[in-house]
Amino acid sequence: ELKVEQNPLFLSMQEGKNYTIYCNYSTTSDRLYWYRQDPGKSLESLFVLLSNGAVKQEGRLMASLDTKARLSTLHITAAVHDLSATYFCAVRNDRDDKIIFGKGTRLHILP
Amino acid sequence: NAGVTQTPKFQVLKTGQSMTLQCAQDMNHEYMSWYRQDPGMGLRLIHYSVGAGITDQGEVPNGYNVSRSTTEDFPLRLLSAAPSQTSVYFCASSSTRGQGQYGYTFGSGTRLTVV
């Protein structure tokens, strides 16, 4: 059974700082997704990572995937208050096509 | 506008009542799924479908039924509502073309309270 673990679950940081959110998963997969959710809202897709070594960047966010280590990272560079949100990673199980989410990382960026 | 439409947005049920949450998408997506979101639990998969006529159970399927008679619609039925089913429910769809290179498009959610 696929398990997806994110850490930290809560992160409070100052504007201008860098930080990384980690997403570990338990079975083989080469499809990993990152989503953002603002309070009271739905989720929006940020990145789709499809192969080992994949790296994608959008503004101050950069996501990478290491399928051998079963690890993805979401790196935040020079954080700004607008990035405050909850970030979820999700992994597609190759065996049964289920897409399983982590518990989310609630990011609070202090101005 | 293209997207995933969920209805209703809010619902209050009494214990033991049944209801159907509606989900429709107009993007010709093959893959559709239902999740529930509870505080501190992330999103948990209830049921999913890889195409019309095909459904399968997710992580927390008990108490819920689904069907997929058309590509566009994927309703979620609560058979006999229980307070433990109080949650926010999200429907999502994605294309399976290109080997899953597209992420989900999510509906706006249904906030369900069972009293």
Side-chain angles (χ1 to χ4, degrees):
Chain A
E1 183 181 345
L2 173 60
K3 300 287 186 189
V4 181
E5 289 190 2
Q6 282 183 242
N7 68 84
L9 297 181
F10 181 78
L11 177 57
S12 181
M13 54 193 292
Q14 296 282 342
E15 276 192 330
K17 301 289 188 184
N18 303 334
Y19 210 80
T20 300
I21 300 170
Y22 298 88
C23 176
N24 292 274
Y25 54 97
S26 61
T27 65
T28 57
S29 174
D30 58 1
R31 299 170 193 173
L32 190 136
Y33 310 88
W34 285 97
Y35 294 89
R36 169 182 171 145
Q37 185 181 37
D38 292 306
K41 303 291 187 183
S42 186
L43 287 82
E44 64 174 305
S45 180
L46 292 175
F47 301 110
V48 179
L49 303 169
L50 295 179
S51 60
N52 187 42
V55 177
K56 290 198 174 177
Q57 183 163 4
E58 180 75 31
R60 300 174 187 275
L61 300 178
M62 182 174 72
S64 65
L65 177 61
D66 181 345
T67 58
K68 291 182 173 56
R70 298 178 185 172
L71 171 68
S72 179
T73 60
L74 180 66
H75 186 74
I76 302 146
T77 302
V80 293
H81 181 66
D82 285 352
L83 291 178
S84 295
T86 300
Y87 293 86
F88 292 93
C89 67
V91 179
R92 187 165 186 157
N93 192 330
D94 287 347
R95 198 165 49 85
D96 57 17
D97 281 333
K98 288 179 184 175
I99 297 177
I100 304 299
F101 279 73
K103 291 185 177 180
T105 297
R106 187 175 165 196
L107 179 63
H108 182 54
I109 299 172
L110 303 168
Chain B
N1 292 333
V4 178
T5 302
Q6 281 186 244
T7 55
K9 293 193 185 309
F10 301 93
Q11 183 71 49
V12 178
L13 286 180
K14 293 183 178 178
T15 298
Q17 286 184 319
S18 63
M19 78 161 295
T20 299
L21 307 185
Q22 301 291 344
C23 176
Q25 53 91 9
D26 58 2
M27 298 169 285
N28 202 30
H29 283 172
E30 302 88 350
Y31 193 104
M32 296 187 74
S33 56
W34 278 100
Y35 291 87
R36 60 177 289 173
Q37 184 174 28
D38 302 291
M41 300 295 292
L43 277 78
R44 291 182 291 171
L45 180 65
I46 305 172
H47 286 285
Y48 67 109
S49 168
V50 298
I54 306 169
T55 63
D56 211 338
Q57 295 182 347
E59 302 170 277
V60 288
N62 291 343
Y64 307 95
N65 274 354
V66 291
S67 59
R68 185 93 182 269
S69 56
T70 67
T71 300
E72 294 78 20
D73 299 299
F74 192 42
L76 178 71
R77 280 181 283 278
L78 279 71
L79 307 173
S80 177
S84 61
Q85 294 179 304
T86 294
S87 187
V88 179
Y89 292 84
F90 287 102
C91 178
S93 73
S94 69
S95 172
T96 57
R97 290 183 288 274
Q99 296 183 336
Q101 65 180 298
Y102 305 104
Y104 274 135
T105 299
F106 277 87
S108 57
T110 296
R111 187 173 295 273
L112 176 68
T113 302
V114 182
V115 297

